[in-house]
Amino acid sequence: MKKYRIGQIVPSSNVTMETEIPAVFRSRETILPERFTFHSSRMRMKKVTKEELEAMDAMSLKCATELSDAHVDVMGYACLVAIMSMGRGYHCVSEVNLHQETIKNDFPTPIVTSAGALINGLKVLGAKKVAVITPYMRPLTDLVVDYIEHQGFEVVDSIALEIPDNLEVAAQDPMNLLEIYKRLDLTGVDVLVASACVQMPSLEAIDLIQKEVGIPVTSAAVCTTYEMMKKLGIEAKAPIGGELLSGKY
């Protein structure tokens, strides 16, 4: 039985990534022999503003060092908007910087950022036109849209729920997404991102939405889990919530 340690660099007010990512890995444990433990290091952040996100990002290197002390097998930076608000393509810079910290700490560790994972997940799904739901204020949502489009996708439509408090984001009922997504224009859309935020819960709703819309539905958390599986070298079919949760790896 192979055992893996999953490390997460988490905003101090994030309470979702330590539930949704383990939920997907635990579903895998029901049908396959691998086992997983989960370990976090936190960066201070309470309000989802550009200023707090920038200050938080500066703490990520210290977190990477702390997690490498625990000899985790993969490390995820669990804040999509913090990366995307730092400028186009910043996930590549962040992943290199975090990896360098683990090298300096004598335990080189594969790095996943939720921002980079979403971009890679959309590529795996063959997306060209996407629609996105975020909990962010509209200016931050516009930065996320611009970031995604700079990576080669067309964002046909987006919803900004405009919730500035990060704990309030986590308190959202994921089943509300079954009505929220209906406000999107899905004309020509290849993939729906039900939550472009790893703090806004969506896992329970993703498969239900996909059955209704008939196109792949994913989230930042699902893509992050999928990318972690790839970095660990274990089989994962596609960054789609229903398939990962049902064990269709």
Side-chain angles (χ1 to χ4, degrees), residues 10-241:
V10 184
S12 57
S13 53
N14 187 300
V15 295
T16 303
M17 283 300 273
E18 291 152 312
T19 57
E20 289 204 336
I21 283 188
V24 180
F25 279 105
R26 294 298 183 216
S27 73
R28 185 183 181 95
E29 289 181 336
T30 64
I31 59 170
L32 293 167
E34 300 99 345
R35 293 295 179 264
F36 306 93
T37 60
F38 303 91
H39 314 274
S40 300
S41 182
R42 309 185 90 77
M43 312 169 283
R44 287 297 308 279
M45 188 270 281
K46 297 172 71 175
K47 300 293 184 183
V48 191
T49 64
K50 196 170 189 304
E51 293 73 25
E52 280 208 33
L53 291 169
E54 288 179 0
M56 182 192 76
D57 182 68
M59 306 176 204
S60 63
L61 300 181
K62 175 178 177 289
C63 292
T65 300
E66 291 173 354
L67 287 172
S68 68
D69 285 346
H71 287 193
V72 296
D73 296 295
V74 67
M75 196 180 300
Y77 185 122
C79 188
L80 178 140
V81 72
I83 295 290
M84 291 193 176
S85 68
M86 294 291 286
R88 293 172 169 178
Y90 182 71
H91 68 277
C92 298
V93 175
S94 177
E95 288 165 13
V96 168
N97 290 343
L98 294 170
H99 185 60
Q100 286 300 315
E101 289 301 305
T102 69
I103 291 173
K104 287 193 290 185
N105 202 36
D106 298 323
F107 197 80
T109 309
I111 304 294
V112 173
T113 63
S114 53
L118 179 61
I119 297 302
N120 291 338
L122 292 176
K123 291 177 181 177
V124 169
L125 293 171
K128 293 182 173 61
K129 296 183 178 182
V130 303
V132 176
I133 301 171
T134 87
Y136 313 129
M137 304 302 287
R138 175 47 68 178
L140 281 176
T141 299
D142 289 343
L143 284 176
V144 169
V145 169
D146 177 75
Y147 195 102
I148 293 171
E149 292 196 323
H150 182 256
Q151 294 295 314
F153 308 97
E154 178 184 347
V155 180
V156 173
D157 200 5
S158 65
I159 290 174
L161 296 178
E162 302 205 90
I163 306 170
D165 184 272
N166 207 34
L167 282 176
E168 187 180 345
V169 171
Q172 299 304 298
D173 183 348
M175 301 309 286
N176 289 342
L177 291 167
L178 287 163
E179 293 301 320
I180 292 171
Y181 91 83
K182 294 174 182 176
R183 292 153 41 190
L184 289 164
D185 178 5
L186 296 179
T187 305
V189 166
D190 306 305
V191 177
L192 168 58
V193 181
S195 177
C197 172
V198 292
Q199 173 76 326
M200 186 170 76
S202 63
L203 206 53
E204 295 90 338
I206 287 176
D207 204 29
L208 297 173
I209 297 172
Q210 184 166 297
K211 289 175 182 176
E212 290 188 5
V213 299
I215 59 174
V217 179
T218 192
S219 73
V222 166
C223 287
T224 300
T225 311
Y226 172 81
E227 196 70 16
M228 284 179 165
M229 290 181 179
K230 285 174 59 182
K231 295 287 188 183
L232 291 172
I234 62 179
E235 184 180 358
K237 183 179 178 182
I240 300 172

